[in-house]
Amino acid sequence: MVEVTVTPQSSLADRPVAVQVRGLSPSQLVTLRASLTDEHGECFQSRTFFRADAAGEVDPGRHPALGGSYSGVWPMGIFWFLQPDTLFRRLVKRDVAGSPFLVRLEVFDGVCLVTGPQDQPLASCEAERWYVGPGVQRVPIREGRVRGALFLPP
């Protein structure tokens, strides 16, 4: 049974996570896709192609991506190379304290350049990427012409 995991499943956006795919056939070619929808409903995604090792595993921190959104060994590449489906959109988090970005990770058999509703992933999981740690208080600042926010630790 194929399984994709993100460890830790919930983390701050600037913290590294480990992505692992297990249960593949040795040397199986797969597509790893990350996708998220921002607060304005815009979709962002990245996809990379990997060949499983002799144990049937893929680890972007150890195994090089063969192509797609990036190539080479980039442990966090699947997150760093998220691109908008609509040109000229930027990935910006407005509600930094209220909710995380939910990044869906999916593994597909073979090289999948485009996936449609009929394409079923071999495995999937979801990662939470928070922008403010637990207990941090956000205080809006409005002083003269200065605008900003002060983040106070717990």
Side-chain angles (χ1 to χ4, degrees), residues 33-51:
R33 180 177 77 170
S35 60
L36 69 83
T37 302
D38 74 1
E39 297 154 332
H40 296 291
E42 294 292 333
C43 293
F44 293 78
Q45 61 179 318
S46 64
R47 67 182 68 232
T48 53
F49 317 123
F50 290 94
R51 185 167 305 280

Side-chain angles (χ1 to χ4, degrees), residues 14-32:
D14 63 345
R15 299 285 188 230
V17 295
V19 177
Q20 299 257 323
V21 182
R22 293 185 180 95
L24 300 167
S25 299
S27 299
Q28 182 177 354
L29 189 61
V30 294
T31 299
L32 179 61

Side-chain angles (χ1 to χ4, degrees), residues 51-128:
R51 185 167 305 280
D53 64 12
E57 297 181 356
V58 168
D59 179 351
R62 294 185 301 123
H63 302 124
L66 305 175
S69 298
Y70 67 94
S71 59
V73 178
W74 292 77
M76 293 292 294
I78 198 75
F79 296 96
W80 292 342
F81 290 95
L82 287 165
Q83 294 294 314
D85 287 352
T86 305
L87 291 177
F88 307 114
R89 300 289 189 210
R90 289 186 3 189
L91 184 57
V92 176
K93 183 72 172 137
R94 301 275 182 221
D95 179 18
V96 295
S99 64
F101 270 142
L102 297 175
V103 182
R104 182 164 182 77
L105 295 169
E106 298 171 305
V107 179
F108 294 91
D109 188 27
V111 173
C112 295
L113 298 174
V114 178
T115 50
Q118 74 280 4
D119 297 314
Q120 294 298 314
L122 299 172
S124 64
C125 72
E126 204 165 66
E128 294 180 352

